[in-house]
Amino acid sequence: EIRPRDWSSDVCSSDLPPNSPDQNIKPAVESEILGTPVLIVDDIQDNLDLLDEMLAEEGHTCVIQALSGTQALQVLESRADVGLVLLDLMMPVMDGYETCRRINSDSRWSHIPIIVITGGAVRRDAALLKSFAAGAMDFIPKPVNEVELFGRVRSALGLYHERMRLRARTRALADSQQRYDLAVNGANDGIWDMNLVTHELFLSHTWKEMLGYSDADLPNQMSVWERLVHPDDRPKMLAAIQEHWDGRTPFFHSEHRVLTKSGAYKWVFTRGRA
């Protein structure tokens, strides 16, 4: 009797070394790769056990088995930390192509690299092209060469961790942008900033609304901002900006009149720092 592993009870640990200023980076990366959960999917238990043993001998500490495409999706539902899928193609009910497509079409899992490992009766070239079309990143024929397996698994896990770092940076950037937007839109003051090299300008919605303009009324250009300033006040304002650029004042600040959409001028106090 062959009993599939109870994947829901697998416990994996990465044994990541502590972060410290003098910590060697390479062992941390090595531990990160070897401790990342790898999901192997094959409908033949002996094949699962063979790959499991090969990866364990290489130092991988967390290998999860699934005997079907359906069970593989169940594993991914319960394990958000899977970093690589090794996938057989010829399986009943849901073959490897369909399993690959489902993983790639789900935003929760589409970042996980998939390596197809197959052999037997499949036509290699046709299977390779069809696997790539389904979203696989690599293809290893059976019988599996250990050196080839270890190299490709290492590369795929390196890609996985780079994708995860990119996702984290993207999420942090989005959070930062959201906080900035809330601060700008929640303030009673108009907010502006300017690129000192290109003179590209940003004027907040509130800045424009205080003068009666919609966002579309005013292009974000320095020339537009200058034109709105009363001609009598413009030289003094530009001189104050130049003094700050030259390092002669800690802040740029100016009181001047600005043209509103109604045609009247409104006094404003503005300040900034480079």
Side-chain angles (χ1 to χ4, degrees):
E1 180 181 6
I2 297 176
R3 295 182 179 177
R5 174 183 297 182
D6 179 10
W7 50 264
S8 63
S9 64
D10 280 342
V11 177
C12 307
S13 63
S14 61
D15 296 324
L16 287 173
N19 293 322
S20 61
D22 58 351
Q23 177 67 54
N24 189 307
I25 294 176
K26 187 173 180 180
V29 172
E30 185 80 2
S31 181
E32 180 180 65
I33 288 177
L34 295 177
T36 303
V38 176
L39 171 63
I40 51 178
V41 188
D42 198 305
D43 62 320
I44 299 176
Q45 186 66 48
D46 287 346
N47 292 341
L48 291 174
D49 292 338
L50 177 61
L51 286 174
D52 196 327
E53 291 172 8
M54 293 171 70
L55 292 172
E57 288 175 3
E58 180 65 7
H60 291 273
T61 60
C62 187
V63 180
I64 307 168
Q65 297 184 7
L67 278 164
S68 67
T70 301
Q71 193 179 84
L73 298 180
Q74 291 173 343
V75 172
L76 294 177
E77 286 274 3
S78 65
R79 296 293 301 259
D81 56 346
V82 171
L84 173 64
V85 177
L86 303 180
L87 179 64
D88 183 45
L89 291 180
M90 298 298 102
M91 296 185 294
V93 185
M94 184 191 302
D95 63 17
Y97 302 117
E98 179 61 22
T99 304
C100 190
R101 277 190 291 270
R102 293 199 185 188
I103 293 173
N104 273 281
S105 63
D106 194 310
S107 60
R108 296 172 296 172
W109 313 322
S110 58
H111 62 287
I112 303 174
I114 300 172
I115 298 178
V116 167
I117 301 180
T118 195
V122 300
R123 293 175 52 204
R124 186 182 184 282
D125 290 346
L128 187 150
L129 293 174
K130 194 173 178 180
S131 297
F132 288 160
M137 68 156 287
D138 211 341
F139 186 100
I140 301 177
K142 294 177 182 178
V144 176
N145 177 283
E146 287 190 9
V147 175
E148 182 179 14
L149 174 67
F150 299 153
R152 291 175 187 252
V153 165
R154 182 175 295 272
S155 295
L157 287 173
L159 173 63
Y160 165 77
H161 284 289
E162 183 57 34
R163 285 177 176 176
M164 293 302 290
R165 283 187 281 269
L166 179 60
R167 281 160 62 99
R169 289 196 297 268
T170 302
R171 190 176 297 112
L173 181 62
D175 290 345
S176 177
Q177 182 64 45
Q178 185 180 44
R179 285 193 293 270
Y180 176 77
D181 290 342
L182 288 170
V184 167
N185 295 327
N188 290 324
D189 298 328
I191 308 296
W192 59 271
D193 67 55
M194 179 171 56
N195 186 311
L196 300 183
V197 177
T198 66
H199 283 196
E200 292 174 307
L201 191 71
F202 164 77
L203 300 171
S204 72
H205 297 303
T206 305
W207 193 97
K208 297 176 183 181
E209 288 170 358
M210 289 169 66
L211 301 174
Y213 298 101
S214 70
D215 191 42
D217 288 335
L218 296 180
N220 289 338
Q221 299 170 359
M222 178 66 175
S223 59
V224 173
W225 189 30
E226 290 184 23
R227 269 202 317 271
L228 293 177
V229 177
H230 193 287
D232 294 344
D233 301 337
R234 194 176 302 150
K236 183 177 68 173
M237 184 204 73
L238 294 176
I241 292 178
Q242 190 63 50
E243 286 181 0
H244 180 56
W245 286 355
D246 294 341
R248 288 178 282 159
T249 55
F251 286 91
F252 152 70
H253 56 86
S254 172
E255 289 187 68
H256 52 263
R257 289 162 288 179
V258 178
L259 184 65
T260 66
K261 189 171 183 177
S262 68
Y265 280 93
K266 176 181 286 190
W267 280 96
V268 302
F269 173 78
T270 182
R271 57 181 269 153
R273 184 173 65 179

